[in-house]
Amino acid sequence: MRSICFYFQVHQPYRLRNYRFFDIAEKHDYFDDYNNSFIMRKVAKKSYLPMNNILLDLIKEYGSAFKVSFSISGSAIDQFEEYAPEVLESFKKLADTGNVEFMAETYSHSLAALISKEEFQRQVEMHTHKIQQHFGKKPTTFRNTELIYSDRIGEMVADMGYKLMLSEGAKHVLGWRSPNYMYASAVRPELKLLLKNFLLSDDIAFRFSQQSWEGWPLTAEKFVDWLNKSNESEETINLFMDYETFGEHQWAETGIFDFMKSLPKRVFSHSDFGFATPSELAKKLQAVSPISVPNEISWADEERDLTAWLGNDLQDEAFEKLYNLYEKVKECDDPQIWKDWLYLQTSDHFYYMCTKWFSDGDVHKYFNPYGTPYDAFVNYMNVLSDFIIRVNENTKFGKEGYEGVKQSASDLYDKTSEAVKDTVKRANKKVKDAAVKSKEIKFEDIKDMSNAAVKKLLKEIDVEEMTAALKGAEKEVMEKIIPNLNKNAKKKYEELQSELKKINKKEINKYRKRVEDKIAEIFGK
Amino acid sequence: MRILMFGWEFPPHITGGLGTACFGLTKGLSKHGVEMMFVVPKAYGDEDQRAVRILNASDISFDLEDSEYKEFWANIKYMEVGSNIIPYVDPVEFSKVFEDNKKTGEKYTSNVFSKRYEFSGAYGVNLMEEVARYALIGSGIAAKEKHDIIHAHDWLTYPAGIAAKKASGKPLVVHMHATEFDRTGGDVNQVVYDMEREGMEAADRVITVSNLTRKVVIEKYGIDPGKVVTVHNAVDQAVSKEIIEIKRKMKEKVVTFLGRITYQKGPEYFIEAAYKILQKDNNVRFVMAGSGDMLNKMIERVAHLKIADKFHFTGFLKGDDVTNMFALSDVFVMPSVSEPFGIVPLEAMRSNVPVVISKQSGVAEVLKHAFKVDFWDVDAMADSIYGLCHYDGLSNMFKEYGKIEVENLKWENSAKEVKKVYESVL
């Protein structure tokens, strides 16, 4: 039996309020509580609640034959908790039937996979935790924000242990191949890939109410005919779309709810198709072929690439400045910073800055709070500037504030005074050593003495003794002493020279010692 | 002496320097005992079909309640003429606004970051038609109301001035606050240029706001130098008591550009100077306050240079926001490519903010304590900004002496000069 695999994306961003330059460093509330609550309540009433009831009724009617899957972003769940708890309850009822699979994604519907493996994994873990907490089961299928996929992202997802991931059946990747089979990552074959059949998906999501479309009006009969036209060997028709399609993008008046109510009956009566969840397909189907995706694909716009979120100067600047903060955010311990960090990463903020609007304007305008991408950019950057200030203040040095600076200064003072004491100690020792050394006066030191000092010395010493001490002395010592001898002494010195021939070294040293002692006596203190 | 005066806008509905100048000048003139009838175009909305509406002080919400203000109202009669004339919009832009208005059927308002034009579908299809309508009503007022002299501010009101002169035969003084060359940078709209020239030729005296503008008027419009008189603008002193000390949490120095984001104001040179400084010094924030046809291009440039976390846009500011902006600023920069006068630097100096102004501005003729650089010389601009951010001695000197300088630039003095011009034609 061939399968129809429904996957619905449920997401609401935390939209920013009009945050002005004057608010920077002054106010730290970034989100438009009024508007977010208003939109959430409106979409809940028009879409989430009625559609959940329809699905619940269908499951009651057909039992395990009817199945769907969801990915609900963390920021949507947070807003359910805050503004529309009854929606969460109704999703729980769906979970309790066992026919509904909930998938894993990044908590804040972010683009983290494109820039940081670590942050990407952290957000996925946060999200799976949240899903398990509310719906009781840990997700086993992964789908990335906006179905963004590449070989590199597949590798990260496989590293986290997932065996199946959803993506877009982009023409430029598949070429002649059909999206209606199970594929696998070219770099990590253990990761299977389910690809969106964008023709049939978009017939429901985008063209359903388009009166100019040749398929209009779309009925369950017509849709099942189209399903039957697909090749019989094909395994699965993957119908992936925003959940807001039902009741919000396509209003109730278009008959979208009636279409969904009647579709399963027609499928069961007029085709060999059944319904399956992604994880069931992962167990059942073998990959027919690996696909290689070197550049990121997504389900957005005609291009099926990243240009809805990144690529123009506004988007790149905002994205870069946001993720430049990552290393610092990691150091922060303020839970509010972590919360804001999550919500500021939501891809919608970058989507609002998109300047290629004119072809996909309608989708981009959906609940877009800004008049122009420039407004979106300016507002986001104002918020981000304040966030940067907060992050910087919360990291180690900033966080400790005045007290921290005072402590550092005091530590520095202590360290310095220790160092000063040490230096003084060492200096004193040096001086002392020098003083001790200076007491051990050598005979040769005479050459460094002033003439006055030499004269003073010569007055205190017999010329005979000095003559003996000078025997064989250095030339510089001689030159210092002989000119300083008075006339008589010089004469005596000359006379004594012949007598000195016999004198031995020992005696010379004895006389020298006397001279040294004399110098110490006169000058050494 | 009683003056019939034609203007564009009047407080509190001010979108630019002309409204500020007119308000200051009329206040100054009232101090010299000159009586005035001030006529402005104003879109009433569909509910009010009267051609002219005379307003009393009580009709205008205004926060100044000092004696000077009361005295002023004793000497002025303020009239609004039902009209779609939008200040600072050229004929092409006007028709675009008109078309948008027709298409959506909504009152035209631009997005949240832009100033809001009031626009009512009740009036003419194009700007020239509106100007003609305003002139017609102007001549009606001139025939009915007693006056000695007619005084018209900038080209949109010149036809009204000429028509009034024909109706009453009184002398006409036209006031050149800006020329078409300043507004367009040489890509002159011939219709506007002709209207300016005709106004000046029909006038008995032409007042220019600077010698720079006087030169343009003589050289590019061929007006007889003998009847062109420079009267420099001044700055309102009354507000100085409003200077507020804001306790600022932002640690960085703040450098501000405040003005319309158009070719004339040279916003791109400010961005290039900011970029140069931010390469060396991360401790500065730049703010571009205002709105205009180059805003989006400037936002893209800042994003492209990757300085958007330190370079902010506020959109159009008025009233208290302007005061707050000055209170937050350490340096004010006016890099105008061509600025006939430029009152904003004086307002900045009055709020204790040192200024860097372009040599291509009229205000450079009257200021000493300001850095003056060529608008294109972003290196010199960056040097001046850096100096004022980092050398307290310099910025303190600029603040102290700059304030004294500004205090001597009183509207009362300018008004005295204008009164002399009136007397010369009586």
Side-chain angles (χ1 to χ4, degrees), chain B residues 77-102:
Chain B
K77 188 171 177 185
Y78 176 51
M79 280 179 275
E80 288 178 350
V81 171
S83 172
N84 260 341
I85 290 178
I86 300 169
Y88 316 110
V89 169
D90 65 24
V92 178
E93 207 179 322
F94 183 94
S95 65
K96 191 179 160 287
V97 171
F98 185 83
E99 283 306 311
D100 286 353
N101 180 65
K102 207 166 68 180

Side-chain angles (χ1 to χ4, degrees), chain B residues 251-269:
Chain B
K251 286 177 188 142
E252 297 90 343
K253 298 280 180 182
V254 175
V255 182
T256 305
F257 169 106
L258 194 152
R260 277 174 296 120
I261 302 174
T262 58
Y263 167 81
Q264 185 195 344
K265 302 292 179 183
E268 67 267 51
Y269 303 101

Side-chain angles (χ1 to χ4, degrees), chain B residues 265-334:
Chain B
K265 302 292 179 183
E268 67 267 51
Y269 303 101
F270 181 65
I271 293 176
E272 299 310 316
Y275 177 70
K276 279 183 184 280
I277 291 169
L278 286 170
Q279 298 314 297
K280 298 242 165 81
D281 178 8
N282 203 26
N283 225 13
V284 188
R285 281 183 196 275
F286 294 84
V287 180
M288 184 168 279
S291 177
D293 57 9
M294 278 176 70
L295 175 60
N296 289 348
K297 214 175 134 195
M298 294 302 105
I299 293 173
E300 266 182 10
R301 181 70 185 148
V302 163
H304 181 78
L305 293 172
K306 308 227 175 265
I307 53 173
D309 54 335
K310 293 282 181 178
F311 196 113
H312 309 277
F313 294 88
T314 67
F316 180 68
L317 298 182
K318 63 178 177 183
D320 285 350
D321 281 341
V322 174
T323 320
N324 287 341
M325 195 63 245
F326 285 137
L328 285 171
S329 303
D330 295 286
V331 180
F332 175 82
V333 184
M334 186 182 74

